[in-house]
Amino acid sequence: MPLKRRPAVPQTKEKSVTDTIQSAEVLVASPSRNYVTLRITTADGIVGLGDATVNGRELAVASYLRDHIAPLLIGSDPSRIEDTWQYLYRGAYWRRGPVTMAAIGAIDMALWDIQGKRAGLPVHQLLGGRVRDKIPAYQHAFGWDVPALMDAIDAQLDQGATHIRVQSGIPGVDKVYGVSKNPSYEPAGRGARPSEEVFNSAAYLHHAPQILAAAREKVGPLVHLLHDVHHRLTPTEAARLAREVEPLHLFWLEDITPAEDPEALRVVRDASITPLAIGEVFNTIWDCQRLIEDRLIDYIRVAVNHAGGISHVRKIYSLAELHGVKAGPHGPSDISPVAMAASIQLATATHNWGVQEYMGYPEIVHEAFPHDWRFEQGHLYAGDAPGLGVDLDESVLNAHPYETAYLPTARDVTGAVLDW
Ligand code: CS2
Ligand code: MG
């Protein structure tokens, strides 16, 4: 029997490039704090935004973008997001590092924004669509003493928080990271030099379990409590803390040891089942690989703007998914509403998601970057606007020029510099 002839495959012509990148501008401004924003515009007039802010190193990223890689984009096809990523990463010879990866991240975010706008779809639809309706978010509750901390926790409970980060002052120590005498604070202080604070690990290790116990007693068993140690402890000190707070059932202990030493977390892991989170200073999958593959952490904290954008961070989350690790990204004020939008888009389409840090922003930041994502009752929600769903108001940015600002530096009680 003669073989039936299949219908001829329709001849597809090589698609011509329908749009090209016409400009890539870097905007540096300080509406309440410094932000570096990339704006890519295509010949068809589609605008994509990316956040390239690296706290205290803003101008280095701005120059990397402006002087070295943004010019390479002009005339290229904005839809080749992965290829552009590979070209900028592998093609550059000098790889990794916060400056390079934030610059690549901003370009990647802006290209996803453009892709979404061209398709008329929010980015989460391009990433596989919704896997959840709302994204749990945690804010910061802090107080110099226990009563002030309890008030801060109350304020969050009143607003429907399900996850709360708890930090407090330490008796006898006059400046403590993440704690302010004002109701809101900004980790980076303006001025030509970083301020300094002294960290007394003995005082901290004595005090921290007490305030965490007080917080647990206040909120009951069902509200999730988180605590950030900011890379300050030795592996043994960290193991002691993790073991001591085990009965309090924290959601996580964050950055308990310096992030570049994965073996330190093995010591903590062997001593305790308190969940661990790390990685806000990581910028590639290779920084996370051992921690994830060896299941030394429960949550990976990489932020979309610091680790090469949506394209790279979703690979990190996929690796994490294989090993039972969840995403719990960094979200302080230095992550602009543009990167927050990208993170929310990812959270909407990523199954292994734990929680998003959401420190919140002063009103001027919302004005500078109008967005359709929203924060309500302890949760973040992606909107349905095409792309990332964020705009920028250049007049607000222009009215607030860059000002030098740095995170503080920490020393121990002997005056030696400590990890921050
Ligand atoms: C902190 C931040 O939000 C956090 O978890 O660690 O305050 C961090 O120190 C700064 O945002 C770094 O830029
Ligand atoms: Mg932190």
Side-chain angles (χ1 to χ4, degrees), residues 107-155:
I107 292 173
D108 185 81
M109 243 178 269
L111 295 183
W112 278 101
D113 193 16
I114 290 170
Q115 193 94 318
K117 286 175 180 161
R118 177 170 295 285
L121 294 170
V123 166
H124 66 263
Q125 294 287 3
L126 308 183
L127 298 173
R130 274 182 195 275
V131 294
R132 58 175 52 79
D133 303 322
K134 54 184 185 177
I135 299 147
Y138 71 89
Q139 294 204 295
H140 300 186
F142 55 82
W144 268 100
D145 48 30
V146 173
L149 176 64
M150 296 302 125
D151 289 349
I153 293 175
D154 262 336

Side-chain angles (χ1 to χ4, degrees), residues 165 177 228 230 254-255 280 301 330:
R165 181 179 103 150
Y177 147 75
D228 188 354
H230 240 268
E254 171 184 336
D255 291 351
E280 64 182 50
R301 299 250 314 135
H330 197 203

Side-chain angles (χ1 to χ4, degrees), residues 150-236:
M150 296 302 125
D151 289 349
I153 293 175
D154 262 336
Q156 295 213 10
L157 292 174
D158 287 350
Q159 290 164 29
T162 54
H163 297 66
I164 305 176
R165 181 179 103 150
V166 173
Q167 309 290 138
S168 92
I170 302 170
V173 174
D174 67 296
K175 280 194 210 155
V176 176
Y177 147 75
V179 184
S180 157
K181 288 181 179 146
N182 302 317
S184 67
Y185 78 105
E186 167 49 54
R190 289 185 173 166
R193 290 185 70 87
S195 65
E196 294 206 356
E197 58 188 50
V198 174
F199 180 74
N200 179 334
S201 62
Y204 169 77
L205 283 167
H206 175 70
H207 192 63
Q210 298 177 37
I211 65 118
L212 291 170
R216 172 55 76 210
E217 201 178 311
K218 168 148 194 85
V219 302
L222 299 183
V223 172
H224 297 296
L225 296 175
L226 300 79
H227 180 66
D228 188 354
V229 190
H230 240 268
H231 308 122
R232 298 278 166 88
L233 300 178
T234 65
T236 312

Side-chain angles (χ1 to χ4, degrees), residues 16-21 73 75-81 84 111 115:
S16 63
V17 173
T18 53
D19 198 4
T20 51
I21 294 175
L73 303 176
S76 64
D77 177 355
S79 71
R80 295 185 62 154
I81 304 176
T84 303
L111 295 183
Q115 193 94 318

Side-chain angles (χ1 to χ4, degrees), residues 26 28 36 52 57-68 99:
V26 181
V28 181
V36 180
R57 296 292 183 271
E58 293 87 357
L59 301 184
V61 196
S63 163
Y64 192 97
L65 276 166
R66 217 176 247 150
D67 301 326
H68 299 289
V99 173

